[in-house]
Amino acid sequence: NRFAVYTEFLQESQKSQKYQKGSSLQGEDVMIESIKQPLTVMIHPIEKTEEIRLRRLHSVPAASVIVFLFFMAEVVSYIYTGRVFNFNKPGSLNVLLIMLRTLLPFVLFVIANWCATTLMEGKGDFVQIFVLSAYALLPFTLSNYLVTLLSNILSADEITFLAVISGLGIAWTAFLLIAALMTVHQYSLFKTILSFAATAVGMAIIAFLLILFFSLIQEMINFANTIYFEIYFRFLGGFTG
């Protein structure tokens, strides 16, 4: 066992030295790398994630931009999808609802995955999980914009073509998410699937606690209002009368 641990340590050290050669990026190099990194993760998810894990060279701003584009893709789709395929009323756009079905699940996933993988001895930290999860959203986000564009060109008979593009975007994102998190946490495929199941349970628990918390806040506000009006009408109301 000690020999196996020592061997694994040597392998990790060799990989780290390999990636640290030329890892001192500055100025424009950092900006270029921030733009290239999400795109290269799309093509080489395992190799690039391993490099991110060892060099710890990842771009939180680039990840944040992708999350924002993911959110905006839903807004653009809601408003600008072609008439033939769009059953929404642009005037009834509710940005808060779109945030609840896009940004909230993403944030819940990152937090729940970090909690679950911490308990399951995952190697990735919170920032790496956030960045890699955001990078994984890129294919789905791009396919969403493409579908919105093509929906204004294609006819109703060609809806299958749009469904294929959307399906490929979802499948690619799912593959990237599994491959990236499996690599950064140093899990087997089985343990990765197990961690996703634990993440789903964690998301449900966090969502339940949030609903419970806001319900409690609402009850407290209603109780405070009741007390206020009771005091006002019973005491202050008598003086004004």
Side-chain angles (χ1 to χ4, degrees):
N1 290 336
R2 289 183 179 178
F3 178 75
V5 171
Y6 179 70
T7 304
E8 183 179 356
F9 172 76
L10 287 178
Q11 290 175 347
E12 289 292 314
S13 299
Q14 290 172 356
K15 286 181 182 180
S16 181
Q17 290 173 3
K18 171 188 172 183
Y19 285 118
Q20 282 175 356
K21 293 178 180 179
S23 64
S24 56
L25 300 179
Q26 297 179 352
E28 293 183 2
D29 291 336
V30 174
M31 186 178 296
I32 293 171
E33 180 68 16
S34 297
I35 296 171
K36 286 173 55 181
Q37 199 174 72
L39 300 175
T40 51
V41 168
M42 282 178 59
I43 309 301
H44 305 288
I46 296 177
E47 179 183 348
K48 195 63 182 178
T49 302
E50 183 72 1
E51 181 180 344
I52 290 172
R53 184 179 75 86
L54 293 172
R55 291 174 62 183
R56 296 190 174 276
L57 186 65
H58 42 64
S59 176
V60 173
S64 302
V65 169
I66 292 172
V67 174
F68 175 73
L69 291 175
F70 164 64
F71 163 70
M72 285 304 300
E74 291 295 318
V75 175
V76 170
S77 175
Y78 190 97
I79 299 174
Y80 295 108
T81 295
R83 293 182 186 177
V84 178
F85 307 99
N86 195 348
F87 302 102
N88 302 313
K89 295 179 180 179
S92 64
L93 173 66
N94 190 326
V95 175
L96 181 60
L97 286 178
I98 294 179
M99 289 178 65
L100 288 176
R101 72 169 188 249
T102 54
L103 299 183
L104 181 61
F106 176 80
V107 172
L108 288 180
F109 175 85
V110 173
I111 294 173
N113 186 262
W114 174 68
C115 293
T117 53
T118 298
L119 295 174
M120 298 172 67
E121 300 180 347
K123 304 294 185 182
D125 58 32
F126 184 85
V127 175
Q128 289 174 332
I129 294 169
F130 168 76
V131 169
L132 292 172
S133 299
Y135 288 176
L137 287 175
L138 196 54
F140 174 73
T141 301
L142 294 177
S143 68
N144 211 345
Y145 282 111
L146 182 59
V147 166
T148 301
L149 176 64
L150 293 177
S151 69
N152 290 277
I153 302 172
L154 302 179
S155 64
D157 296 332
E158 297 168 306
I159 190 173
T160 304
F161 185 61
L162 298 181
V164 168
I165 294 176
S166 182
L168 286 174
I170 293 171
W172 197 348
T173 285
F175 168 73
L176 290 180
L177 195 60
I178 293 171
L181 294 182
M182 180 172 68
T183 304
V184 78
H185 291 307
Q186 295 292 281
Y187 284 164
S188 64
L189 180 59
F190 174 76
K191 195 169 183 180
T192 302
I193 294 172
L194 196 62
S195 72
F196 272 86
T199 299
V201 173
M203 290 175 68
I205 293 173
I206 295 172
F208 173 75
L209 292 176
L210 285 174
I211 293 171
L212 194 63
F213 173 75
F214 285 112
S215 298
L216 182 61
I217 293 296
Q218 185 65 41
E219 289 294 326
M220 290 175 65
I221 292 173
N222 291 338
F223 178 73
N225 284 336
T226 302
I227 297 295
Y228 169 77
F229 285 115
E230 184 70 23
I231 293 173
Y232 179 81
F233 287 114
R234 179 165 296 188
F235 297 100
L236 298 180
F239 289 113
T240 57

